Amino acid sequence: MCHFINDVKYLLSSNFDMKDLGPVDMTLGIKHIKKNDDIALTQSHYVEKLLKKFNYFDVKHVSTPYNSSIKLKEKLNKEFFSHKYSQIIGSLLHLSNFSRLDIAYAVGRLGRYTNNPDHSHWIALEIVFRYLKGTINFGIHYTCFP
């Protein structure tokens, strides 16, 4: 495999101006952690940034990202800052699409109400952030089987 990689690098450098920066450790904001033949993809720095940006960094963590006992329904008036809510949902969608599939259901449910969230939506959103606080280093782990 290493021979193949060196051949590709040589081919590219003969046709393009490029630098070999060594093994990849970050791509599109996703950190690559390689151990032997295994690789883990995590966005822990992005989670930390979100928690700080939306003032959820100092919350107590919970074990699940969604509480099904909270009844979510549409609200007719827009009194609960729908712009900020939709901004948070967009950030969480980015996270769930790349490395945090564990929050995809909760974010999908909450994303249905970006135009008209009410107090119950903000409570459910806080649960997602509290879950992320306790699982900040979670990601996707790929294992190579010989």
Side-chain angles (χ1 to χ4, degrees), residues 73-80 113 116-119 121:
K73 58 184 179 181
E74 291 190 25
K75 181 103 172 152
L76 296 177
N77 60 13
K78 295 183 179 187
E79 63 187 63
F80 283 103
Y113 306 98
N116 51 3
D118 70 1
H119 186 65
H121 300 97

Side-chain angles (χ1 to χ4, degrees), residues 88-142:
I88 293 170
I89 292 297
S91 299
L92 292 174
L93 275 171
H94 170 76
L95 184 63
S96 70
N97 285 335
F98 281 100
S99 66
R100 295 298 301 265
L101 302 174
D102 53 335
I103 64 168
Y105 177 78
V107 174
R109 289 278 308 196
L110 293 170
R112 297 177 186 176
Y113 306 98
T114 55
N115 286 331
N116 51 3
D118 70 1
H119 186 65
S120 64
H121 300 97
W122 285 98
I123 291 170
L125 192 61
E126 182 177 331
I127 291 171
V128 174
F129 276 113
R130 291 175 63 191
Y131 173 76
L132 287 173
K133 174 66 177 182
T135 60
I136 199 165
N137 292 316
F138 278 22
I140 300 174
H141 185 214
Y142 297 99

Side-chain angles (χ1 to χ4, degrees), residues 12-141:
L12 289 172
S13 65
S14 65
N15 292 305
F16 302 101
D17 184 28
M18 63 174 265
K19 293 180 184 178
D20 183 0
L21 300 176
V24 174
D25 64 343
M26 182 86 76
T27 306
L28 299 172
I30 301 171
K31 187 172 185 170
H32 303 237
I33 304 167
K34 188 169 177 14
K35 288 185 181 177
N36 303 325
D37 288 335
D38 299 352
I39 188 165
L41 306 176
T42 181
Q43 289 181 286
S44 56
H45 62 284
Y46 183 73
V47 173
E48 184 177 332
K49 182 179 168 183
L50 284 180
L51 291 169
K52 288 179 179 177
K53 179 178 181 179
F54 297 113
N55 297 319
Y56 288 102
F57 191 73
D58 295 323
V59 295
K60 183 179 175 188
H61 68 88
V62 295
S63 60
T64 60
Y66 186 74
N67 184 345
S68 61
S69 68
I70 298 174
K71 302 299 180 207
L72 302 175
K73 58 184 179 181
E74 291 190 25
K75 181 103 172 152
L76 296 177
N77 60 13
K78 295 183 179 187
E79 63 187 63
F80 283 103
F81 308 103
S82 64
H83 177 70
K84 183 177 179 182
Y85 183 86
S86 61
Q87 182 182 20
I88 293 170
I89 292 297
S91 299
L92 292 174
L93 275 171
H94 170 76
L95 184 63
S96 70
N97 285 335
F98 281 100
S99 66
R100 295 298 301 265
L101 302 174
D102 53 335
I103 64 168
Y105 177 78
V107 174
R109 289 278 308 196
L110 293 170
R112 297 177 186 176
Y113 306 98
T114 55
N115 286 331
N116 51 3
D118 70 1
H119 186 65
S120 64
H121 300 97
W122 285 98
I123 291 170
L125 192 61
E126 182 177 331
I127 291 171
V128 174
F129 276 113
R130 291 175 63 191
Y131 173 76
L132 287 173
K133 174 66 177 182
T135 60
I136 199 165
N137 292 316
F138 278 22
I140 300 174
H141 185 214

